[in-house]
Amino acid sequence: MLKEQTGKVYLVGAGPGDCNLMTVRSRELLSSAEVLIYDALIDIPQLELIPVTCRKIEVGKRGGKPSTQQQEINRLLVENCKLGKQVVRLKSGDPFIFGRSSSEIQALKEANCDFEVVPGISSALVAPLLAGIPLTDPVMSRCFAVMSAHEPDALEWSALVQIETLVILMGGRNLNEIIWQLQKHGRSPATPIAIIRDCSRPQQQIWLGTLADILYKTAGESLSPCVIIIGEVVRLREYLMQPQKTNSIDKSATHKNSQQPLAGNTILVTRAASQSAEFSRSLEQLGARAIEMPALEIGAPSSWEPLDDAIAQLSSFQWLILTSHNAVDWFFQRLEAHQKDARSLSGIKIAVVGKKTAESLRSRSVTANYIPPNFVADSLVENFPDILQNCKILFPRVESGGRELLVQEFTARGSHIIEVPAYQSRCPENIDPIALAALQNRAVDIITFASSKTVQNFCHLIEKAPELSQSKDWLENICIASIGPETSKSCQNLLGKLDVEAKEYTLDGLTRAIVEWATK
């Protein structure tokens, strides 16, 4: 008799927003979740550990926005647990700090559902720390209080003004009332205040002032979600923060090691979503905050027929040219679809462009016969190690927007080059919302481009954001970094500027060039 599958619900704290600040236990649970029930404050696009098969249910909980009723959330937890699922109830910050976990736990206990509570770091602690504001100090603050200002009338303000440091959550929409109550009950108008919105995230913003002027400084701004710190300890930020480059909005708070060469820099990565993770990790290891804004979507060509015909007559070709990691992947996938493998390439020489393409080929137990010295496709012909007259060459490539010059030069030398579409790269329909927010808030320091097509698609996506496309100066303080000459030309033509070009036309070369620029 088969044992009945047992479900379990994990009430997990997601931390303040940056998935790098999640606990190890939380990340492990996300990687195996079958059902994810999450608050709107969770940055789901950043949580790459979530399996693609996981069912995701957003339940709101963002101030001022529609939210699922708590009774319905309780029902969803119980229902999915009873179905034998591993359910992660992901909450912003810590589940037991304004997380309404009691109601959910009570519902799970009444239904005899197994559950576990997994702690997270509350933004009440993280936001001041990342902003360089200590909540305690031997002289200025011997204690602090954390409160929600979602319902300011419910707070005992006469008692709160006696506490040296106040940390207020969910207070952005009620800032007027908070300021009025504090001054009404005796707090000095000169009392320092800091407001930190989207703490730990790329679009983090900080406003500094006093009770007397903070309303003026934040007029017209959307402050939620934010953490408000009130007290003399706010003044310590000036002495505790490392001096770093900032744009017009104060974003100098960073939890990265300031000795790392890219610390304090937010870098936008425009590679395809399926290819950006490794590059982003390498930047983060150097201290950067990487935001992925996919400017390419890689998929199958509109028709496999040309490539299938070429595979059917592989033995008639002398050379196979692969100019990218994508070309390798999709060509070999199609080989496998025809029950073929690397042995089908016996007797065919292979030319590749770039170290990464060569590595991708080696991962399939195949070694390239030729790699041009400067890793540029257009130099293939110039240094080609074989007689090109009457040479038959197979060139699986992107369906549109590829290198026409390469084909023209081989043809001019007397080669018979057969181009076949092996994959297609398209522009995504919409700009990633996290990347858009970072650009709108002037929170990006560097934008990286690894191909001309990413530049073209990036510009197309920006056209869909009027607040950027209609602004004349949004690129003014941003470094544009290119992987090589062809990409650089596109940057100059379409963006009107270029600040960094890799000396070696690889992602490693691009990383080194960015580090050199950042450490000047």
Side-chain angles (χ1 to χ4, degrees), residues 319 350-353 367-373 379-385:
W319 280 88
I350 303 175
V352 301
V353 175
T367 302
N369 299 92
Y370 170 56
I371 309 175
S379 70
L380 266 170
V381 179
E382 181 181 350
N383 300 284
F384 206 73

Side-chain angles (χ1 to χ4, degrees), residues 458-477:
F458 175 84
C459 292
H460 179 71
L461 290 169
I462 292 299
E463 288 174 2
K464 297 183 177 183
E467 53 272 52
L468 292 177
S469 60
Q470 295 175 11
S471 172
K472 296 180 180 179
D473 62 352
W474 71 274
L475 269 176
E476 185 176 342
N477 296 317

Side-chain angles (χ1 to χ4, degrees), residues 197-198 200-206 245-253 264-268 288-291 433-447 468 473-475 477-479:
R197 183 177 74 183
D198 289 318
S200 84
R201 305 181 192 201
Q203 64 269 28
Q204 173 176 294
Q205 291 178 268
I206 302 174
K245 294 185 301 181
T246 62
N247 288 340
S248 57
I249 294 173
D250 185 340
K251 59 183 185 69
S252 60
N265 286 284
T266 296
I267 301 179
L268 202 65
R289 178 176 289 152
I291 304 174
I434 294 175
L436 177 60
L439 288 168
Q440 290 172 335
N441 291 319
R442 307 301 194 265
V444 174
D445 299 292
I446 304 167
I447 303 177
L468 292 177
D473 62 352
W474 71 274
L475 269 176
N477 296 317
I478 296 178
C479 168

Side-chain angles (χ1 to χ4, degrees), residues 267-273 275-276 279-280 283 291-297 428 435 439 446-451 453-455 457-459 461 481 487 510:
I267 301 179
L268 202 65
V269 176
T270 60
R271 301 197 79 206
Q275 300 172 334
S276 58
F279 184 41
S280 295
L283 296 172
I291 304 174
E292 295 180 5
M293 177 186 157
L296 283 178
E297 287 181 350
L439 288 168
I446 304 167
I447 303 177
T448 64
F449 294 102
S451 70
K453 200 155 191 178
T454 56
V455 184
N457 291 349
F458 175 84
C459 292
L461 290 169
T487 305
L510 180 56

Side-chain angles (χ1 to χ4, degrees), residues 17-19 43-49 201-203 290-291 434:
D18 184 343
C19 61
D43 286 332
I44 290 301
Q46 292 183 340
L47 303 178
E48 297 176 356
L49 295 176
R201 305 181 192 201
Q203 64 269 28
I291 304 174
I434 294 175

Side-chain angles (χ1 to χ4, degrees), residues 36 158 201:
L36 178 72
S158 59
R201 305 181 192 201

